[in-house]
Amino acid sequence: MSRYRIFLLIALAYFLWRVPLRWIHHPNGFNDFSSSYINGRAWLHGDNPYTVDSFHQMWKEGGGVFEFARISMLTSGSLPSAVPFSASVAWLSWRQVSTLFLVLSLVAFMLMIGALYRLYGLSTCALAAFCLSLTPFHSGLNGQNAASILIPLMIISLWLVEKGHDVSAGVLLGVGTCYKPQLVLILVAFFLVKKRWKLCITSFSVVGAALGVFFALAQSGSAAAFLQRLSRFGIATPDDFGLANRARYELIN
C-alpha cells in the first residue's frame, strides 16, 4: 500500500470521528443552517420569516431543539434571495434537512476533488487526504455552514467554465450568491473581468429571479422586518465582532 493511501485512510478515520460521529449525537441541534431552514419554513407557511414569533414556532414545529437562552437574537437568518431555496426543503423535519445537508456537503466535496483533479492533475489520494484532514472543513460541516457546500460549488464552476459550460457555472454561482454574496461574488467579479458575459448574466438572473419569487409570495412587512433585524446585526449579539462577544474568535470563518 502506497504512503498516499495510508495517509488517506488516516485522514478518513479522522474525518469520520470529527464529523459524522459528532452529528449522530446532536442531529436536532441548532446550527448555522437552522436560521435559513426556519426562514424558509415560515415563508412556505405564509408567515413573516423574520419575526421572533414565527422563528420560535417554526423551529419547534420542525422538531428542533433549543440550545440558546437568547435564541431570538439569531433570527436575522438568511438573505431574502436564499429563502426560496431553503423553502424547497423546509417542508421536511429539521432532522431530515440536517441529514440532507450533510449528505449534499459530502457529495459536493467529492465532486470538488474530481474537479480539482481534472483542472490541475493532482494525485487523487493525496488531494482527498489533504482536504479530509482540513479542520476548517470539519468545522463548516459540523456547524452546517453554507460555505461547506458553496466553496466546492465554486471550484466545480471553475471546471465547468474550463469545459465551456458557462450557463451551468452561472447557475451554481447564482445560487451561491443568494446565500453568501460576500464569498461568491469574488469569483463572479473575476469572470466579469474575464468578460464571461453569459456566465455573469446567468448568475445575476438567478439572484433576481429568487428575489422576485420571495417578494411575490412574502407576507406584507417581511422586507421591513428583515431590514430591522439586519440593523441589529453585530450589536451585542453572537454576530458581534467587538470585545463584548467572548466567542468572537469563532466569526473568523
Side-chain angles (χ1 to χ4, degrees), residues 32 174 198 227:
D32 288 350
K198 188 183 294 184
L227 293 175

Side-chain angles (χ1 to χ4, degrees), residues 49-63:
Y50 297 111
T51 63
V52 175
D53 290 340
S54 66
F55 188 90
H56 286 188
Q57 179 184 351
M58 293 301 148
W59 181 237
K60 184 177 179 180
E61 288 181 4

Side-chain angles (χ1 to χ4, degrees), residues 7-8 11 13 42 45 57 70 101 103 120-121 127 173 202 224 233:
F7 184 28
L8 176 59
H45 283 74
Q57 179 184 351
R70 303 175 68 185
F101 188 100
V103 171
Y120 304 111
L127 181 61
L173 293 178
T202 301
F233 184 84

Side-chain angles (χ1 to χ4, degrees), residues 119-133:
L119 281 169
Y120 304 111
L122 301 173
S123 169
T124 307
C125 284
L127 181 61
F130 174 75
C131 293
L132 282 171
S133 60

Side-chain angles (χ1 to χ4, degrees), residues 7 15 20 26 36 79 83 86 89 96 100 106 110 114 154 164 171 200 207 224 228 242-244 248:
F7 184 28
F15 170 81
H26 303 284
S36 298
L79 296 172
V83 171
S86 299
V89 296
Q96 291 171 324
L100 180 62
L106 295 177
M110 290 186 287
M154 291 170 68
V171 170
C200 296
V207 176
Q228 182 181 17
L243 296 177
R248 62 189 180 280

Side-chain angles (χ1 to χ4, degrees), residues 9 15 21 24 32 51-53 63 70 72 82-84 87 99 112 120 135 164 188 200 204 209 214 217 230 249:
L9 289 176
F15 170 81
L21 291 179
I24 289 172
D32 288 350
T51 63
V52 175
D53 290 340
R70 303 175 68 185
S72 61
V83 171
T99 304
M112 177 189 72
Y120 304 111
T135 300
V188 177
C200 296
F204 292 131
F214 173 81
L217 301 178
L230 192 63
Y249 63 90

